[in-house]
Amino acid sequence: MKSIMTIPGLKDVLVTKVEEIEGKYALFIEIPKRSPICPACQSITSKVQDDHIQKMNHLKWFERLTVLYYKRRCYVCSCGKRFSEKTSFIERDQRFSKEWHSYDWKRVKRMRHVFYKREAQLNEKQLWELNRYRSLSSQLKMAHELKEAYCEWFDWAKTSNGFLEGINNKTKVMKRHAYGYKRFDRLRAKILLTLKYKEVGLHLTQRL
């Protein structure tokens, strides 16, 4: 059974099947068959060579994650050119719909201060936002868990990485002032001399 449903970010899409898989809505969709123009010879063709299923994440639907299984057709022209049908909601070989990118990634960028704060210091609304976007991206969830683990380690060790960050900053300044170095050992000697490791630095410069 095929039906045209109004789904946020999707227009004139045929929904062939709706399932619930592991707490997520799985929508099997396709678009009506058309007669596209060949990008090579600019002629109209309607011959379908084959099709494949493209899986992508979409906006939440009724506060549940939505996964789209899009049946994408591949057309073939009389000139021999093969090309996929174009849609307004997904690019080729992408794993997220355009609406997911335009809404959620902008939203994540605006609320990055929530990810910077410690989880124990978040209020109820911020904690809800954090859990929402961590559930949308496994990479984002892993990065946040690593950040929390590093913060806990620094709290336990009663130390800071400020000294190391200062060394990194001085090293970058030296690279900019010199407009680059041809040899790594010269750069290393310059770093050691600048950071007051004179004995090691002099030993390296004498060897050079």
Side-chain angles (χ1 to χ4, degrees):
M1 179 180 178
K2 299 181 180 180
S3 61
I4 298 179
M5 302 176 63
T6 303
I7 303 174
L10 305 177
K11 185 179 180 181
D12 299 332
V13 170
L14 298 176
V15 180
T16 59
K17 186 169 59 173
V18 179
E19 293 182 355
E20 186 176 352
I21 303 175
E22 298 180 355
K24 302 178 182 179
Y25 282 127
L27 303 180
F28 295 81
I29 63 173
E30 62 182 59
I31 61 176
K33 187 177 178 181
R34 302 168 182 170
S35 298
I37 299 176
C38 175
C41 63
Q42 303 300 317
S43 60
I44 298 176
T45 181
S46 59
K47 184 177 180 181
V48 178
Q49 183 187 19
D50 57 10
D51 54 61
H52 65 278
I53 301 298
Q54 185 174 355
K55 180 182 176 181
M56 71 195 83
N57 292 326
H58 192 56
L59 296 175
K60 277 195 172 184
W61 202 28
F62 299 110
E63 288 305 319
R64 288 194 182 183
L65 291 176
T66 306
V67 181
L68 303 180
Y69 293 88
Y70 167 45
K71 183 180 179 181
R72 191 164 200 159
R73 300 183 184 91
C74 181
Y75 291 90
V76 59
C77 183
S78 57
C79 67
K81 177 67 176 179
R82 302 174 183 177
F83 57 96
S84 299
E85 61 183 357
K86 294 183 179 180
T87 62
S88 60
F89 57 88
I90 186 65
E91 296 289 346
R92 184 177 180 181
D93 300 328
Q94 292 293 317
R95 297 184 179 180
F96 302 94
S97 64
K98 290 183 178 180
E99 287 294 324
W100 199 96
H101 276 296
S102 60
Y103 174 77
D104 281 292
W105 282 118
K106 289 181 181 179
R107 177 66 177 167
V108 168
K109 189 174 181 180
R110 287 197 299 267
M111 57 171 289
R112 58 182 180 270
H113 63 280
V114 175
F115 295 94
Y116 293 157
K117 291 178 65 175
R118 299 293 298 274
E119 188 171 352
Q121 300 174 353
L122 299 177
N123 56 36
E124 185 177 355
K125 181 180 179 181
Q126 292 174 338
L127 192 60
W128 182 87
E129 293 279 357
L130 176 65
N131 293 329
R132 167 185 166 84
Y133 288 101
R134 285 200 310 181
S135 64
L136 290 175
S137 174
S138 58
Q139 293 87 354
L140 187 61
K141 180 180 179 181
M142 183 182 298
H144 184 264
E145 290 176 351
L146 286 175
K147 188 267 294 183
E148 289 291 322
Y150 281 125
C151 290
E152 291 179 2
W153 183 86
F154 281 117
D155 291 342
W156 172 81
K158 304 296 182 181
T159 185
S160 171
N161 65 337
F163 176 75
L164 182 60
E165 292 297 333
I167 293 177
N168 293 339
N169 183 50
K170 289 182 179 179
T171 303
K172 292 178 181 179
V173 171
M174 282 186 286
K175 287 172 59 180
R176 287 198 298 268
H177 286 176
Y179 296 97
Y181 289 86
K182 290 185 178 180
R183 293 167 52 180
F184 171 73
D185 48 5
R186 292 183 180 273
L187 173 61
R188 183 172 182 271
K190 176 67 175 177
I191 294 172
L192 294 175
L193 286 171
T194 305
L195 298 177
K196 310 302 181 183
Y197 296 102
K198 294 186 178 180
E199 295 182 359
V200 181
L202 288 174
H203 174 70
L204 290 174
T205 53
Q206 290 174 0
R207 190 177 64 179
L208 297 175

